[in-house]
Amino acid sequence: MAIAAGDLRERVVIERATYTENEFNEPVETWATYISRRARREDSGSGEKEAAGQVGAFLMARFAIRRDALVDGIKPTDRISYGGAHWNIKEMKQLRENARYLEITAVKDLD
């Protein structure tokens, strides 16, 4: 399915971790906005995971964003803030049907 500018209905914020030091000189991770863009979102799966003896649910989605110099600077360690949740980036690749878009696969915990 080809993508058009009208398909970019969702607003996503890409956040990047930064580190500061607290009053005890310990590193503290904080997240700040890297870029905000319009995107197309498609759910691509859901499931359950088991970690530390607990079971949790997750949702996976693909976000398509028009590429530019800042979008090409997105790193796998960044995250997406969308719909009141944080989505961890799992994969990034050029959109198959249109090289002008970056497809980001991300997951969020449903717990």
Side-chain angles (χ1 to χ4, degrees):
M1 179 175 139
I3 189 169
D7 295 334
L8 306 178
R9 295 187 180 107
E10 311 299 330
R11 172 68 62 183
V12 298
V13 175
I14 308 297
E15 297 178 337
R16 183 160 287 167
T18 58
Y19 295 90
T20 58
E21 292 180 348
N22 64 15
E23 61 273 9
F24 302 109
N25 290 329
E26 300 168 326
V28 177
E29 180 182 66
T30 58
W31 291 87
T33 297
Y34 172 63
I35 57 172
S36 177
R37 295 287 189 271
R38 305 292 298 173
R40 176 183 75 181
R41 175 185 168 211
E42 293 179 346
D43 290 338
S44 60
S46 62
E48 293 181 345
K49 63 180 180 204
E50 185 175 342
Q54 297 180 349
V55 176
F58 69 90
L59 177 64
M60 183 178 294
R62 292 187 310 259
F63 296 89
I65 303 173
R66 183 181 286 274
R67 293 177 71 188
D68 61 29
L70 289 174
V71 169
D72 286 343
I74 295 172
K75 300 175 181 180
T77 54
D78 295 337
R79 71 181 184 187
I80 296 174
S81 180
Y82 166 77
H86 296 115
W87 297 70
N88 295 316
I89 295 173
K90 296 299 180 188
E91 180 182 44
M92 299 179 304
K93 61 184 176 184
Q94 176 179 303
L95 193 63
R96 190 177 320 168
E97 67 262 17
N98 192 331
R100 293 181 297 164
Y101 292 88
L102 179 69
E103 181 180 79
I104 302 171
T105 302
V107 296
K108 75 169 182 173
D109 288 332
L110 296 177
D111 305 333

